[in-house]
Amino acid sequence: MERPVWAPRSIDITVPSVSRIRDFYLGGSHNFEADRQAARKAMAFVPGLPKIMQANRAFLRRAVRFAVDEGVTQFLDVGPGIPGFGTVHEMAQAAHPGARVVYVDRDPVAVARSQTVLEGNDDADIVAADLLEPRDILTSAQVERLIDLNRPVALLLVAILHFVEDADDPYRAVAELRDALAPGSLLVLTHASYEGIPLPSERAGGVVDVYKDIRNPLIMRSREQIARFFEGYDMVEPGLVPMPHWRPETAPEDEDPYAFSGFAGVGRTA
């Protein structure tokens, strides 16, 4: 398999990654055959995975606009994956010139591609770090340069927490990030769940097996378990709901049934 010029030499392009599989679902070009094979296996169980990713992206767009309307113009986006059309810095800076965005990702392709995309943008940057190490994020040079932790920040955790096992205590990491943010900060979150998928859970579970096989476990949490991530936040209306139901711009009944898989919500610190 020939290595593209944009692929860092340090990565094994025969091993699938969550970021590059997501890129494939969204129609991107920064993925390898190993990623495409894993994505197709997953889609054999849940054909609507691209629709779910599109619903995530649409919710994110609405949530970013909401944050700016609420006067929050600093964004810490953890686990954004490989940048494509409609990135957070594009949306935020279009709504509010000068909005500041720091991305955080551990995938080398996502980091390298983001560095290229952000070249010349003094108000956005990326940190190569892991959600499970909040201190590394908060003390990074990029966050110290761009994010004023004494002012409200929108913490974006979109389609990432379901890739963190309970044994790694994602609730601790989210709480540690929350405690570092100023009052009035926002948590913007989506999470996969068996609830809402228009398929029997036994069949949907085949996707979990695919991700387990590539050593990136997919954790399907219940609505109650997902709501725990919002401890310390006041939920913004309409609460924790299927993605198309969060402040929709079009009639939810017109959405693809797969778009209702999982939950989305926004919380605000007091």
Side-chain angles (χ1 to χ4, degrees), residues 76-80 103-108 111 126-140 143 155 157 160-161 163-165 168-170 172-174 176-177 216:
L76 186 58
D77 187 358
V78 184
Y103 297 106
V104 180
D105 212 295
R106 65 180 187 181
D107 184 281
V111 172
I126 184 161
V127 180
D130 192 313
L131 167 64
L132 295 175
E133 300 294 340
R135 181 171 294 277
D136 291 347
I137 297 171
L138 295 167
T139 61
S140 67
V143 167
L155 172 61
L157 299 174
I160 180 175
L161 288 167
F163 292 114
V164 185
E165 297 181 272
D168 291 323
D169 199 0
R172 173 202 59 81
V174 173
E176 193 170 331
L177 288 169
N216 281 285

Side-chain angles (χ1 to χ4, degrees), residues 56-68:
N56 267 273
R57 185 62 58 90
F59 161 75
L60 178 60
R61 181 181 65 248
R62 299 194 302 275
V64 167
R65 189 156 51 244
F66 168 80
V68 171

Side-chain angles (χ1 to χ4, degrees), residues 64-266:
V64 167
R65 189 156 51 244
F66 168 80
V68 171
D69 288 346
E70 292 292 302
V72 180
T73 58
Q74 302 186 106
F75 297 84
L76 186 58
D77 187 358
V78 184
I82 298 165
F85 175 75
T87 56
V88 169
H89 73 277
E90 291 173 339
M91 295 183 286
Q93 292 172 356
H96 182 91
R100 296 188 165 192
V101 179
V102 174
Y103 297 106
V104 180
D105 212 295
R106 65 180 187 181
D107 184 281
V109 172
V111 172
R113 179 60 183 160
S114 294
Q115 289 170 336
T116 299
V117 168
L118 296 174
E119 188 173 353
N121 189 328
D122 293 335
D123 292 322
D125 210 337
I126 184 161
V127 180
D130 192 313
L131 167 64
L132 295 175
E133 300 294 340
R135 181 171 294 277
D136 291 347
I137 297 171
L138 295 167
T139 61
S140 67
Q142 295 90 332
V143 167
E144 290 183 349
R145 181 175 73 87
L146 289 174
I147 303 296
D148 180 357
L149 295 176
N150 294 311
R151 294 175 47 236
V153 175
L155 172 61
L156 311 180
L157 299 174
V158 175
I160 180 175
L161 288 167
H162 47 239
F163 292 114
V164 185
E165 297 181 272
D166 288 339
D168 291 323
D169 199 0
Y171 297 102
R172 173 202 59 81
V174 173
E176 193 170 331
L177 288 169
R178 177 201 65 211
D179 291 346
L181 303 182
S185 292
L186 302 174
L187 172 61
V188 176
L189 180 153
T190 67
H191 198 296
S193 177
Y194 285 122
E195 298 175 45
I197 296 180
L199 290 171
S201 59
E202 295 79 12
R203 180 173 175 185
V207 172
V208 174
D209 293 336
V210 170
Y211 280 91
K212 182 178 179 181
D213 288 343
I214 65 171
R215 299 182 181 180
N216 281 285
L218 175 61
I219 313 302
M220 306 289 271
R221 294 187 172 95
S222 67
R223 185 182 184 281
E224 181 179 4
Q225 290 170 319
I226 297 167
R228 283 185 55 202
F229 288 112
F230 286 97
E231 289 181 1
Y233 290 90
D234 295 325
M235 294 301 296
V236 170
E237 290 293 334
L240 187 61
V241 294
M243 290 175 284
H245 286 302
W246 197 90
R247 302 189 174 224
E249 297 170 343
T250 57
E253 56 267 25
D254 293 337
E255 294 284 350
D256 186 283
Y258 281 102
F260 296 85
S261 305
F263 293 96
V266 175

